[in-house]
Amino acid sequence: MLLVMKQNATQDQIDDVIERIEAAGFTARPIPGGHRTAIGILHNQGAVDPARFQGLPGVKELIPVTRPYKLVSRETKPENTVVRMGDVAIGEGKPVLMAGPCAVESLEQCMAIGKSVKESGAEMFRGGAFKPRTSPYSFQGLGEEGLKILAAVREETGLKIVTEVMDNETFDLVEEYSDMVQIGTRNMQNFALLRRAGLAKKPVMLKRGMSATIDEWLMAAEYIMERGNDQIVLCERGIRTFAMHSRNTLDLSAITVVRKESHLPIITDPSHAGGHRCQVGPLARASAAMGVDGMMIEVHNDPAAALSDGGQSLYPHQFSKLAQQIFDIHDLVRTQGEI
Amino acid sequence: MLLVMKQNATQDQIDDVIERIEAAGFTARPIPGGHRTAIGILHNQGAVDPARFQGLPGVKELIPVTRPYKLVSRETKPENTVVRMGDVAIGEGKPVLMAGPCAVESLEQCMAIGKSVKESGAEMFRGGAFKPRTSPYSFQGLGEEGLKILAAVREETGLKIVTEVMDNETFDLVEEYSDMVQIGTRNMQNFALLRRAGLAKKPVMLKRGMSATIDEWLMAAEYIMERGNDQIVLCERGIRTFAMHSRNTLDLSAITVVRKESHLPIITDPSHAGGHRCQVGPLARASAAMGVDGMMIEVHNDPAAALSDGGQSLYPHQFSKLAQQIFDIHDLVRTQGEI
Amino acid sequence: MLLVMKQNATQDQIDDVIERIEAAGFTARPIPGGHRTAIGILHNQGAVDPARFQGLPGVKELIPVTRPYKLVSRETKPENTVVRMGDVAIGEGKPVLMAGPCAVESLEQCMAIGKSVKESGAEMFRGGAFKPRTSPYSFQGLGEEGLKILAAVREETGLKIVTEVMDNETFDLVEEYSDMVQIGTRNMQNFALLRRAGLAKKPVMLKRGMSATIDEWLMAAEYIMERGNDQIVLCERGIRTFAMHSRNTLDLSAITVVRKESHLPIITDPSHAGGHRCQVGPLARASAAMGVDGMMIEVHNDPAAALSDGGQSLYPHQFSKLAQQIFDIHDLVRTQGEI
Amino acid sequence: MLLVMKQNATQDQIDDVIERIEAAGFTARPIPGGHRTAIGILHNQGAVDPARFQGLPGVKELIPVTRPYKLVSRETKPENTVVRMGDVAIGEGKPVLMAGPCAVESLEQCMAIGKSVKESGAEMFRGGAFKPRTSPYSFQGLGEEGLKILAAVREETGLKIVTEVMDNETFDLVEEYSDMVQIGTRNMQNFALLRRAGLAKKPVMLKRGMSATIDEWLMAAEYIMERGNDQIVLCERGIRTFAMHSRNTLDLSAITVVRKESHLPIITDPSHAGGHRCQVGPLARASAAMGVDGMMIEVHNDPAAALSDGGQSLYPHQFSKLAQQIFDIHDLVRTQGEI
């Protein structure tokens, strides 16, 4: 933290601020400047909130300097984390494709889609059994029945299962049936859910909140890691901006920053970001060119009859073509290396 | 829903779309225009998602027309809802002030602040026992001990208690001790929590999500109401924008829209929106001039020692002066009437 | 500027950065911390851009500390600036109301509106002769003929005239006919226009850019002041956010910050922020409660026939009532004082 | 336009609205629905603003349906526009790289960078002679001297020149020396400049405004085209969002939408979007994977001594490597085709 004093702050005000900083257990380091004094606050990552110093007489503003996260930080652990589920490894090079319908609708539907995406190169099957819907009148998912269908798809195809968990009541159930539990964008700061995920025996995919900064996102991952689960995959799925031509704005620059700041693998969800079928291919190829560790893509065998998100689901033949494109771009970019 | 066809859509494409709309149980109403055809989709508020029609051949875009909410809509219930807790009534004219510290820290602290804000005209006491904190290393609240302190403040001062509930595990506890349970901005679309709140015997204060549209906010309230609890107070607490000089941007225009669209009472939280002590007074006075039904304001007896949000907490003497200003502005604006 | 080094930056890297800072004519002040070193860059307000240090080896990030503006800063000039046009004074206490149609349409229209708003307490008449329109096919304003109409309204009513100038080609003309020239939101960083405004003999109203930070806004004012014109009125007119229920989101917290940072008077434009007639009254009353120095409000004698922005224009009888409300709220708030 | 009536609108109100629509020269087409009536407004692309109907009794809201642009629309001209400058063609397949320093600093600098980027595959040289700077105290560019340097680089290397024009006063000059004139993000709605650009004999690169919707952007292009200049290149350069980890958020989904809506070529500026050197490569590769028609990239021979934007400029050897990567990705994506 850097505390900037007003130009006309008196020495008494400066001394008082320093005294309060030290009384709170921090170290104060005054930095006299040309026009004003700034005061560094060191060792401020504990339970006490330095925001308290903000309104003191003579104080102009408070500027955070160090990042608040520890366990997820690359400064703590320089090498990449690889998240493993059997023979599937996220963060080891090849992008892991997770494909399937928005919502699990029936065994037939899932089996058909599952076989198709498996053949196209997907390693994981996605599909919601519990669905977060804006409206209480929208289809809310099949629940446990949906989880059983997912398990059947795994049984038949060998695809690993990733599916969303929405609350602690159903966490055990979701954890049992899935290979990776997904925490959705609306729950990124559902701290009870994060804490439970920290005790899970399965990897966790943590989607970025629609309006979360990278700091907030990594701090949400820190909640999980702090409880003991270090198998976390971050998923950039678009942020909310004024631009309404796509459902959300895919923030690809976040990938570069997350990789600098953290050792955790990161994937994208071009389907939810784009929100329109025609957006998915281009955003997926762009993600591949960023070298992401994987992608979630919605695929439906009959999008025009889908119970949710039909407009953004790919047809199986589209996914098949796209998967190959993604692998080819990824291979190319990998051989290219950094500039 | 209005489905707009491309200029060059063929009659076959138009017919196909109409057929699919009707096959899904909706009514299709084609509207030939000067340059293109649009098709109205009627009776589309059921469980089926019309987004599925979006990617069909010849379709340019899908435009929502009717609002998705029902129970919270003023078209359903034209008269204002008043939320009552004993002799406290939110939505009946006088703005209800809810004041207190960000976090419950100790009995002494709360009792001192409670007595002071009561004397200044507050009718409710606010204070977090369970705190949603960005960092797992920040003070997380006193938990049940905090709730007991709140109950003691009620006992002593007669102030009603509003406090945040963060998860279903602690819902019974929070419901038992409080007079109104608060759902925070990060949990606005925590649907498990909303459903539980719908069964609560206490009123619910629903804060707007940091990046929620008004439709999403009202739909979150619809989740609560649909389960049977119609005692809901909406709270505008600032949205996330590019403007970083305040913690969030208080969206006062939301108040006018919510009042047109819904019968539920609406209050503001100038403390969290402003994020700096110097912002709280002006934003509170502006809220009063908008004629809000109440306000949540953070007050701390020693802000520079607060365990959280010290920089935005008012001193008790400031709150005392501000409360009177709020009442005076409100009285004036009420006599002025609409233009 | 504060330059934060990486945790693992070597002493050589630190030394190299310091050397480069000093070679560029700045003063470097290293601040060793618990985990990493930060380096203060002093005297950095000249023509050289310290961003250049950003990519150097070992550098983690660059954090601006001091504000970049000088002349507009309250630290440079502590007392409020009052902008005077004859007997009209903006910044002296009473809010100055500027009312009139979005666009000047005819002499009859303007004269009728002008007389009406004058009677209601407006001191200035607003109306566009040159209109910035998103579409080249929309009504672009009457040009010089419009200016002459404005002058006739002044002649008849005594109202001062504020009207938008869109380019340097027509600046002389607009300057000649008006009492205050307005620079619109789309031109806030039209630097040629700002420089010309700096040479104007008339006061300038500078609207905030739709996505401008307060720093950028004040720097735009600095461009004007640096050329010699210190008669500047800032106008908050709403920012662009994800919230689409109002045309823009009126950022009232900007008023508090601008007043702390600058000595220039500040007004709001509730008409353009709200974008709907029903929003104007509430936002105007909220602005009054913030104690603004004035307001621009669109009034039209026949909104349903207006050539632009009809939906947000007040009827004259509405403005009459609103003006009195604004004065009453302002009087009340002024007697209340700060908390 | 679709005008949605309130549920309880009376037949008289509906009739009155229809009458007013037709009196204004439009066609009104009522669409009775299940709950309410909507009214289509046809032939509304003239000079009259239908927003005027918004506040009429019984009217709930106004929803735009057709796009406002004509000449730039792909519905008007289905085939792609190719912008040609001698043997350089933008929009014909191969991405055109425009590289060079942020600001022209000296002949030596530009010549060195020019030769280098030419060798790396750039076809155009970029460099600002007139610089839009937030601060009046920052380096404002060399002006005409800078233009002469650019011309010398063209002479020596054969690279075409693109440089920013900031105002009409210097337009002739910039037009004379450059091969393509650039209109910057802050001037996207500087309508005087757009009109002048519409008369230019040189192609125009129109950068997207920092908070412009795609409609506003295309309408700005419409201003240029309406005056006769159809040689326009659109440039996505990042939008302003709450996410501050990059200078702006590159909105790649805009590319897909622009290509559907318009026939104009589109490029990106990963340097200004990213704002940090480490962001440029990844965002450039992502842009290549989107199949853009070109890219603007900042290259500096000594970034740490650059007079502006040093922190986001690539070293020449980095650009050399990146250019090859861009071409390789583009070639791959082109052979892949759509899905």
Side-chain angles (χ1 to χ4, degrees), chain C residues 17-29:
Chain C
V17 168
I18 291 173
E19 199 172 304
R20 282 172 180 274
I21 291 170
E22 309 225 306
F26 303 127
T27 302
R29 202 177 290 260

mmCIF file with all atom_site columns, all heavy atoms in Angstrom, chain C residues 17-29:
data_model
loop_
_atom_site.group_PDB
_atom_site.id
_atom_site.type_symbol
_atom_site.label_atom_id
_atom_site.label_alt_id
_atom_site.label_comp_id
_atom_site.label_asym_id
_atom_site.label_entity_id
_atom_site.label_seq_id
_atom_site.pdbx_PDB_ins_code
_atom_site.Cartn_x
_atom_site.Cartn_y
_atom_site.Cartn_z
_atom_site.occupancy
_atom_site.B_iso_or_equiv
_atom_site.pdbx_formal_charge
_atom_site.auth_seq_id
_atom_site.auth_comp_id
_atom_site.auth_asym_id
_atom_site.auth_atom_id
_atom_site.pdbx_PDB_model_num
ATOM 1   N N   . VAL C 1 17 ? 17.452 0.485  -13.887 1.00 0.00 ? 17 VAL C N   1
ATOM 2   C CA  . VAL C 1 17 ? 16.231 1.294  -13.958 1.00 0.00 ? 17 VAL C CA  1
ATOM 3   C C   . VAL C 1 17 ? 16.490 2.679  -13.380 1.00 0.00 ? 17 VAL C C   1
ATOM 4   O O   . VAL C 1 17 ? 16.114 3.703  -13.964 1.00 0.00 ? 17 VAL C O   1
ATOM 5   C CB  . VAL C 1 17 ? 15.080 0.586  -13.208 1.00 0.00 ? 17 VAL C CB  1
ATOM 6   C CG1 . VAL C 1 17 ? 13.904 1.523  -13.001 1.00 0.00 ? 17 VAL C CG1 1
ATOM 7   C CG2 . VAL C 1 17 ? 14.649 -0.662 -13.973 1.00 0.00 ? 17 VAL C CG2 1
ATOM 8   N N   . ILE C 1 18 ? 17.159 2.717  -12.235 1.00 0.00 ? 18 ILE C N   1
ATOM 9   C CA  . ILE C 1 18 ? 17.442 4.011  -11.600 1.00 0.00 ? 18 ILE C CA  1
ATOM 10  C C   . ILE C 1 18 ? 18.276 4.888  -12.531 1.00 0.00 ? 18 ILE C C   1
ATOM 11  O O   . ILE C 1 18 ? 18.004 6.075  -12.714 1.00 0.00 ? 18 ILE C O   1
ATOM 12  C CB  . ILE C 1 18 ? 18.180 3.792  -10.255 1.00 0.00 ? 18 ILE C CB  1
ATOM 13  C CG1 . ILE C 1 18 ? 17.212 3.145  -9.256  1.00 0.00 ? 18 ILE C CG1 1
ATOM 14  C CG2 . ILE C 1 18 ? 18.749 5.091  -9.714  1.00 0.00 ? 18 ILE C CG2 1
ATOM 15  C CD1 . ILE C 1 18 ? 17.850 2.716  -7.956  1.00 0.00 ? 18 ILE C CD1 1
ATOM 16  N N   . GLU C 1 19 ? 19.244 4.267  -13.140 1.00 0.00 ? 19 GLU C N   1
ATOM 17  C CA  . GLU C 1 19 ? 20.122 5.010  -14.053 1.00 0.00 ? 19 GLU C CA  1
ATOM 18  C C   . GLU C 1 19 ? 19.318 5.611  -15.206 1.00 0.00 ? 19 GLU C C   1
ATOM 19  O O   . GLU C 1 19 ? 19.483 6.777  -15.579 1.00 0.00 ? 19 GLU C O   1
ATOM 20  C CB  . GLU C 1 19 ? 21.179 4.048  -14.590 1.00 0.00 ? 19 GLU C CB  1
ATOM 21  C CG  . GLU C 1 19 ? 22.398 4.715  -15.173 1.00 0.00 ? 19 GLU C CG  1
ATOM 22  C CD  . GLU C 1 19 ? 23.459 3.662  -15.494 1.00 0.00 ? 19 GLU C CD  1
ATOM 23  O OE1 . GLU C 1 19 ? 23.834 2.907  -14.550 1.00 0.00 ? 19 GLU C OE1 1
ATOM 24  O OE2 . GLU C 1 19 ? 23.837 3.576  -16.669 1.00 0.00 ? 19 GLU C OE2 1
ATOM 25  N N   . ARG C 1 20 ? 18.415 4.811  -15.765 1.00 0.00 ? 20 ARG C N   1
ATOM 26  C CA  . ARG C 1 20 ? 17.613 5.299  -16.887 1.00 0.00 ? 20 ARG C CA  1
ATOM 27  C C   . ARG C 1 20 ? 16.657 6.411  -16.465 1.00 0.00 ? 20 ARG C C   1
ATOM 28  O O   . ARG C 1 20 ? 16.401 7.345  -17.218 1.00 0.00 ? 20 ARG C O   1
ATOM 29  C CB  . ARG C 1 20 ? 16.797 4.154  -17.495 1.00 0.00 ? 20 ARG C CB  1
ATOM 30  C CG  . ARG C 1 20 ? 17.627 3.243  -18.386 1.00 0.00 ? 20 ARG C CG  1
ATOM 31  C CD  . ARG C 1 20 ? 16.821 2.036  -18.797 1.00 0.00 ? 20 ARG C CD  1
ATOM 32  N NE  . ARG C 1 20 ? 17.575 1.137  -19.636 1.00 0.00 ? 20 ARG C NE  1
ATOM 33  C CZ  . ARG C 1 20 ? 17.671 1.253  -20.965 1.00 0.00 ? 20 ARG C CZ  1
ATOM 34  N NH1 . ARG C 1 20 ? 17.067 2.249  -21.593 1.00 0.00 ? 20 ARG C NH1 1
ATOM 35  N NH2 . ARG C 1 20 ? 18.382 0.396  -21.668 1.00 0.00 ? 20 ARG C NH2 1
ATOM 36  N N   . ILE C 1 21 ? 16.110 6.281  -15.279 1.00 0.00 ? 21 ILE C N   1
ATOM 37  C CA  . ILE C 1 21 ? 15.210 7.331  -14.780 1.00 0.00 ? 21 ILE C CA  1
ATOM 38  C C   . ILE C 1 21 ? 15.972 8.646  -14.676 1.00 0.00 ? 21 ILE C C   1
ATOM 39  O O   . ILE C 1 21 ? 15.514 9.693  -15.132 1.00 0.00 ? 21 ILE C O   1
ATOM 40  C CB  . ILE C 1 21 ? 14.627 6.941  -13.397 1.00 0.00 ? 21 ILE C CB  1
ATOM 41  C CG1 . ILE C 1 21 ? 13.660 5.772  -13.554 1.00 0.00 ? 21 ILE C CG1 1
ATOM 42  C CG2 . ILE C 1 21 ? 13.951 8.124  -12.732 1.00 0.00 ? 21 ILE C CG2 1
ATOM 43  C CD1 . ILE C 1 21 ? 13.215 5.153  -12.227 1.00 0.00 ? 21 ILE C CD1 1
ATOM 44  N N   . GLU C 1 22 ? 17.160 8.556  -14.110 1.00 0.00 ? 22 GLU C N   1
ATOM 45  C CA  . GLU C 1 22 ? 17.908 9.795  -13.903 1.00 0.00 ? 22 GLU C CA  1
ATOM 46  C C   . GLU C 1 22 ? 18.441 10.345 -15.226 1.00 0.00 ? 22 GLU C C   1
ATOM 47  O O   . GLU C 1 22 ? 18.488 11.559 -15.428 1.00 0.00 ? 22 GLU C O   1
ATOM 48  C CB  . GLU C 1 22 ? 19.036 9.553  -12.900 1.00 0.00 ? 22 GLU C CB  1
ATOM 49  C CG  . GLU C 1 22 ? 18.499 8.878  -11.637 1.00 0.00 ? 22 GLU C CG  1
ATOM 50  C CD  . GLU C 1 22 ? 19.005 9.454  -10.331 1.00 0.00 ? 22 GLU C CD  1
ATOM 51  O OE1 . GLU C 1 22 ? 20.233 9.526  -10.174 1.00 0.00 ? 22 GLU C OE1 1
ATOM 52  O OE2 . GLU C 1 22 ? 18.161 9.834  -9.476  1.00 0.00 ? 22 GLU C OE2 1
ATOM 53  N N   . ALA C 1 23 ? 18.798 9.431  -16.139 1.00 0.00 ? 23 ALA C N   1
ATOM 54  C CA  . ALA C 1 23 ? 19.269 9.882  -17.453 1.00 0.00 ? 23 ALA C CA  1
ATOM 55  C C   . ALA C 1 23 ? 18.182 10.651 -18.192 1.00 0.00 ? 23 ALA C C   1
ATOM 56  O O   . ALA C 1 23 ? 18.447 11.533 -19.003 1.00 0.00 ? 23 ALA C O   1
ATOM 57  C CB  . ALA C 1 23 ? 19.721 8.684  -18.286 1.00 0.00 ? 23 ALA C CB  1
ATOM 58  N N   . ALA C 1 24 ? 16.907 10.315 -17.887 1.00 0.00 ? 24 ALA C N   1
ATOM 59  C CA  . ALA C 1 24 ? 15.798 10.992 -18.567 1.00 0.00 ? 24 ALA C CA  1
ATOM 60  C C   . ALA C 1 24 ? 15.442 12.298 -17.855 1.00 0.00 ? 24 ALA C C   1
ATOM 61  O O   . ALA C 1 24 ? 14.494 12.981 -18.251 1.00 0.00 ? 24 ALA C O   1
ATOM 62  C CB  . ALA C 1 24 ? 14.586 10.072 -18.621 1.00 0.00 ? 24 ALA C CB  1
ATOM 63  N N   . GLY C 1 25 ? 16.200 12.640 -16.824 1.00 0.00 ? 25 GLY C N   1
ATOM 64  C CA  . GLY C 1 25 ? 15.981 13.929 -16.180 1.00 0.00 ? 25 GLY C CA  1
ATOM 65  C C   . GLY C 1 25 ? 15.057 13.897 -14.971 1.00 0.00 ? 25 GLY C C   1
ATOM 66  O O   . GLY C 1 25 ? 14.692 14.940 -14.442 1.00 0.00 ? 25 GLY C O   1
ATOM 67  N N   . PHE C 1 26 ? 14.665 12.712 -14.536 1.00 0.00 ? 26 PHE C N   1
ATOM 68  C CA  . PHE C 1 26 ? 13.818 12.611 -13.357 1.00 0.00 ? 26 PHE C CA  1
ATOM 69  C C   . PHE C 1 26 ? 14.687 12.330 -12.132 1.00 0.00 ? 26 PHE C C   1
ATOM 70  O O   . PHE C 1 26 ? 15.879 12.061 -12.243 1.00 0.00 ? 26 PHE C O   1
ATOM 71  C CB  . PHE C 1 26 ? 12.820 11.451 -13.491 1.00 0.00 ? 26 PHE C CB  1
ATOM 72  C CG  . PHE C 1 26 ? 11.940 11.540 -14.693 1.00 0.00 ? 26 PHE C CG  1
ATOM 73  C CD1 . PHE C 1 26 ? 11.837 10.472 -15.576 1.00 0.00 ? 26 PHE C CD1 1
ATOM 74  C CD2 . PHE C 1 26 ? 11.213 12.692 -14.957 1.00 0.00 ? 26 PHE C CD2 1
ATOM 75  C CE1 . PHE C 1 26 ? 11.013 10.547 -16.682 1.00 0.00 ? 26 PHE C CE1 1
ATOM 76  C CE2 . PHE C 1 26 ? 10.385 12.773 -16.066 1.00 0.00 ? 26 PHE C CE2 1
ATOM 77  C CZ  . PHE C 1 26 ? 10.298 11.695 -16.931 1.00 0.00 ? 26 PHE C CZ  1
ATOM 78  N N   . THR C 1 27 ? 14.046 12.356 -10.985 1.00 0.00 ? 27 THR C N   1
ATOM 79  C CA  . THR C 1 27 ? 14.715 11.917 -9.766  1.00 0.00 ? 27 THR C CA  1
ATOM 80  C C   . THR C 1 27 ? 14.175 10.530 -9.399  1.00 0.00 ? 27 THR C C   1
ATOM 81  O O   . THR C 1 27 ? 12.969 10.321 -9.401  1.00 0.00 ? 27 THR C O   1
ATOM 82  C CB  . THR C 1 27 ? 14.409 12.900 -8.611  1.00 0.00 ? 27 THR C CB  1
ATOM 83  O OG1 . THR C 1 27 ? 14.840 14.191 -9.017  1.00 0.00 ? 27 THR C OG1 1
ATOM 84  C CG2 . THR C 1 27 ? 15.120 12.480 -7.339  1.00 0.00 ? 27 THR C CG2 1
ATOM 85  N N   . ALA C 1 28 ? 15.072 9.602  -9.120  1.00 0.00 ? 28 ALA C N   1
ATOM 86  C CA  . ALA C 1 28 ? 14.658 8.259  -8.715  1.00 0.00 ? 28 ALA C CA  1
ATOM 87  C C   . ALA C 1 28 ? 14.835 8.112  -7.221  1.00 0.00 ? 28 ALA C C   1
ATOM 88  O O   . ALA C 1 28 ? 15.867 8.505  -6.671  1.00 0.00 ? 28 ALA C O   1
ATOM 89  C CB  . ALA C 1 28 ? 15.494 7.201  -9.436  1.00 0.00 ? 28 ALA C CB  1
ATOM 90  N N   . ARG C 1 29 ? 13.809 7.577  -6.563  1.00 0.00 ? 29 ARG C N   1
ATOM 91  C CA  . ARG C 1 29 ? 13.895 7.409  -5.108  1.00 0.00 ? 29 ARG C CA  1
ATOM 92  C C   . ARG C 1 29 ? 13.515 5.972  -4.763  1.00 0.00 ? 29 ARG C C   1
ATOM 93  O O   . ARG C 1 29 ? 12.350 5.632  -4.660  1.00 0.00 ? 29 ARG C O   1
ATOM 94  C CB  . ARG C 1 29 ? 12.943 8.394  -4.428  1.00 0.00 ? 29 ARG C CB  1
ATOM 95  C CG  . ARG C 1 29 ? 13.298 8.702  -3.005  1.00 0.00 ? 29 ARG C CG  1
ATOM 96  C CD  . ARG C 1 29 ? 12.355 9.739  -2.452  1.00 0.00 ? 29 ARG C CD  1
ATOM 97  N NE  . ARG C 1 29 ? 12.559 11.046 -3.033  1.00 0.00 ? 29 ARG C NE  1
ATOM 98  C CZ  . ARG C 1 29 ? 13.249 12.035 -2.438  1.00 0.00 ? 29 ARG C CZ  1
ATOM 99  N NH1 . ARG C 1 29 ? 13.770 11.853 -1.252  1.00 0.00 ? 29 ARG C NH1 1
ATOM 100 N NH2 . ARG C 1 29 ? 13.386 13.192 -3.019  1.00 0.00 ? 29 ARG C NH2 1
#
